[in-house]
Amino acid sequence: MADARPVQAPRGTALTCKSWPQEAAMRMLMNNLDPEVAEHPDQLIVYGGSGRAARSWDAYDAIVASLRDLGDDETLLVQSGKPVGIMRTHEWAPRVLIANSNLVPQWATWEEFRRLEAAGLTMFGQMTAGSWIYIGTQGILQGTYETFAAIAAKRFGGTLAGTVTLTAGLGGMGGAQPLAVTMNGGVALVIDCDLSRISRRIEHGYLDVAADDIHDAIRRASAAAQARQPLSIGLLGNAAEVVPELLRLRAPIDIVTDQTSAHDPLSYLPRGVAFEDMAALRAEDPAGFTQRARQSMAEHVAAMVGFQDAGAEVFDYGNSIRGEAQVAGYERAFDFPGFVPAYIRPLFCEGRGPFRWAALSGDPADIAATDAAILDLFPENEALARWIRMAQDKVHFQGLPARICWLGYGERDRAGQRFNDLVASGAISAPVVIGRDHLDCGSVASPYRETEAMADGSDAIADWPLLNALVATSSGASWVSIHHGGGVGIGRSIHAGQVCVADGTELAGQKLQRVLTNDPGMGVIRHADAGYDRAKEVAVARGVRVPMSS
């Protein structure tokens, strides 16, 4: 891409913008494109094969210039990665409002999106790529850890020791899988068609070893499982070919999922195509490539169903592979569930979800201070304490030092205000950015993932993420985003994100209290409205006001 260049966020306490909220937005935009963080920073792609932080390098430069000149009572508007206006607002308004990839429903297809993208009119923002709060693979790590912990509790006596998990995809999202499995005591066998991804995950400590071939992978996985020793194994290959072959070989697999970039058929390697030929083939014949990719996904999913028929625990991890397999004509594509209805929804009913933060100073000591604050705030939460300690030991920082943990309603605001107090006192050397994944309790409408199989059948109602973004905006978030697409692709989800800045000021403290109460409160309301008893109980017990009860 023209004008590509290395990008790294500034460190330290010196401002290059007029105030910290603007500085924070600029640094986090830059952090998304740090070579340690982004998949293809030269193309402005952060993760997911096509999720961008800005539409073009010219747009990136204009965003940075706008943020550096932005006043404390002004708001920058970003339309699919391009800055399109600066409005006079007020100090409680967000400094940035972002909308990415939002298409009118009748035109919400990959074909129409790609036509508009080729014309330079839009970009795919994924989730945290286009909302400037991606923190590398660890951003999804605890959610993945929580999912596998739930599987262990549901089926394997509370631990994955002695089990083998088969999955694929070691990119920005999938790269968390092997470490999440071993942190739960299990063995992970992870397929990827890109050798550089396997090498990168080993270098960063997310993956333990690389297998020589499929038989070596089976031997290693079986031996580790029999010894009840955690081990993660990377296997170079095409998942659409390797998963069916493992089924044919009757490999001893206990759990099966997938995190390839199946949300976008142009990012999924079809059977019979060499990885090094992939880019040229999809550029030459995108329609034909899409058809071959979908047929390959159908064969991949058929093998996953085969493992389920043989007794394995099988689930969709939110990349839309079932939907693409169904489009290709595979009738049993939805025979296994998505991970949210299978394992995570009870947490969502409590307003619990991914709470992440980054140290704008660039100093790991600031994250250590926040870790200590979390442990002090929630001493009764043994699972949280275990997570923080494991993360301190095992998580490699990418770009600005950052952390994530899952907190619920009544917890996030306490953490945010404590962080703000630490900045005010000087215990943390510079402000802290607080955000979350768009995959949260009340911020997504995604019938193949977060809102799959809702109790009242409201899977496709997209009012909720729009209300979530409006609430975050009116509560004082530093920047707010509304996206279409995300991890399940065009036409399949609407989701919202918010980010706050803890800069130590009284105003920031007031904003944090409101945003970090109301944001998870939307999750409680969403699930209470859908009829979940646990959400209704939480609403009553914690004072979440719900005018009507389903």
Side-chain angles (χ1 to χ4, degrees):
M1 182 177 285
D3 301 321
R5 82 293 299 263
V7 174
Q8 186 182 59
R11 269 65 171 164
T13 59
L15 284 169
T16 62
C17 299
K18 292 183 177 179
S19 294
W20 274 108
Q22 298 93 308
E23 182 79 21
M26 185 194 72
R27 291 193 188 191
M28 294 308 295
L29 165 63
M30 292 175 170
N31 193 62
N32 270 17
L33 295 171
D34 188 308
E36 277 202 356
V37 176
E39 285 185 358
H40 302 292
D42 57 319
Q43 302 173 51
L44 295 160
I45 292 174
V46 182
Y47 73 92
S50 57
R52 285 187 165 85
R55 193 186 304 182
S56 66
W57 283 105
D58 285 344
Y60 166 84
D61 288 336
I63 291 170
V64 171
S66 298
L67 289 170
R68 285 183 169 149
D69 190 52
L70 198 68
D72 296 339
D73 62 350
E74 294 180 321
T75 298
L76 172 65
L77 305 179
V78 179
Q79 180 263 316
S80 290
K82 176 184 176 182
V84 293
I86 295 172
M87 299 295 188
R88 180 79 180 274
T89 53
H90 54 84
E91 64 178 3
W92 272 81
R95 296 287 69 82
V96 189
L97 291 172
I98 300 170
N100 283 315
S101 320
N102 294 289
L103 301 180
V104 173
Q106 183 173 335
W107 286 267
T109 66
W110 273 118
E111 291 74 20
E112 179 63 10
F113 169 80
R114 290 193 178 108
R115 185 187 72 79
L116 294 168
E117 183 183 42
L121 299 173
T122 190
M123 75 168 200
F124 195 61
Q126 260 287 353
M127 290 185 145
T128 54
S131 60
W132 313 340
I133 189 59
Y134 186 64
I135 58 171
T137 302
Q138 72 154 316
I140 199 64
L141 178 59
Q142 197 197 3
T144 312
Y145 168 81
E146 294 280 356
T147 299
F148 282 109
I151 295 169
K154 173 184 176 181
R155 183 161 174 182
F156 300 105
T159 178
L160 294 186
T163 69
V164 178
T165 295
L166 170 64
T167 185
L170 285 168
M173 304 297 283
Q177 296 178 104
L179 183 54
V181 171
T182 57
M183 290 171 86
N184 278 288
V187 176
L189 173 52
V190 191
I191 304 156
D192 202 289
C193 57
D194 185 347
L195 180 61
S196 70
R197 286 182 173 177
I198 294 174
S199 300
R200 185 177 188 181
R201 296 306 171 203
I202 291 174
E203 178 186 353
H204 289 174
Y206 282 85
L207 184 68
D208 294 326
V209 297
D212 296 333
D213 53 39
I214 191 170
H215 300 289
D216 181 46
I218 295 172
R219 284 193 298 270
R220 288 175 183 256
S222 299
Q226 289 171 8
R228 297 180 67 82
Q229 294 178 345
L231 179 69
S232 57
I233 304 158
L235 175 61
L236 182 65
N238 185 337
E241 298 169 350
V242 176
V243 175
E245 179 65 7
L246 287 167
L247 178 65
R248 188 188 70 79
L249 292 171
R250 298 184 180 180
I253 304 297
D254 303 285
I255 302 165
V256 183
T257 187
D258 178 65
Q259 277 204 3
T260 57
S261 295
H263 65 281
D264 180 355
L266 291 184
S267 296
Y268 183 95
L269 183 65
R271 290 171 61 95
V273 175
F275 174 70
E276 54 270 22
D277 297 333
M278 182 178 180
L281 184 60
R282 69 187 173 197
E284 176 185 324
D285 181 15
F289 189 100
T290 295
Q291 184 177 3
R292 291 181 65 178
R294 284 180 171 147
Q295 185 57 49
S296 297
M297 287 186 226
E299 296 181 51
H300 184 167
V301 170
M304 294 173 72
V305 171
F307 275 110
Q308 180 172 259
D309 291 344
E313 182 82 5
V314 181
F315 65 99
D316 180 302
Y317 215 161
N319 62 356
S320 201
I321 194 168
R322 292 174 301 168
E324 296 294 347
Q326 185 181 60
V327 170
Y330 181 56
E331 295 181 355
R332 296 186 65 190
F334 282 83
D335 274 21
F336 53 89
F339 75 106
V340 172
Y343 315 115
I344 300 299
R345 185 149 292 141
L347 300 177
F348 281 179
C349 289
E350 298 179 358
R352 191 170 297 279
F355 176 86
R356 63 176 60 173
W357 62 97
L360 294 177
S361 66
D363 186 352
D366 285 346
I367 293 299
T370 58
D371 287 345
I374 292 292
L375 295 174
D376 179 63
L377 281 170
F378 310 110
E380 74 290 346
N381 192 331
E382 295 180 3
L384 176 60
R386 179 170 179 262
W387 162 257
I388 290 292
R389 294 187 179 108
M390 284 194 297
Q392 289 173 331
D393 181 52
K394 297 178 180 294
V395 171
H396 170 87
F397 292 141
Q398 296 171 267
L400 290 171
R403 185 72 77 222
I404 186 169
C405 69
W406 276 44
L407 296 178
Y409 182 84
E411 296 175 333
R412 300 190 202 187
D413 61 310
R414 292 171 61 194
Q417 292 197 73
R418 176 66 67 87
F419 292 177
N420 199 55
D421 291 343
L422 291 171
V423 175
S425 70
I428 294 178
S429 64
V432 173
V433 162
I434 301 171
R436 57 161 170 77
D437 198 344
H438 290 207
L439 188 169
D440 196 22
C441 53
S443 60
V444 190
S446 182
Y448 287 171
R449 195 160 73 178
E450 290 85 355
T451 55
E452 178 178 342
M454 293 294 289
D456 63 347
S458 62
D459 303 21
I461 300 295
D463 298 338
W464 298 98
L466 303 181
L467 286 171
N468 179 277
L470 291 170
V471 166
T473 299
S474 58
S475 299
S478 299
W479 64 93
V480 179
S481 53
I482 298 176
H483 294 195
H484 171 202
V488 290
I490 291 295
R492 293 190 171 128
S493 73
I494 302 291
H495 44 93
Q498 62 79 17
V499 184
C500 298
V501 179
D503 62 10
T505 62
E506 181 179 352
L507 179 61
Q510 293 173 355
K511 292 179 177 181
L512 288 162
Q513 193 280 326
R514 285 165 174 76
V515 175
L516 297 180
T517 297
N518 295 340
D519 188 45
M522 283 297 303
V524 177
I525 291 170
R526 169 68 176 109
H527 290 85
D529 186 79
Y532 289 93
D533 289 340
R534 179 55 183 154
K536 294 177 185 179
E537 293 167 1
V538 170
V540 171
R542 302 181 192 176
V544 182
R545 298 165 68 184
V546 183
M548 297 177 66
S549 179
S550 298

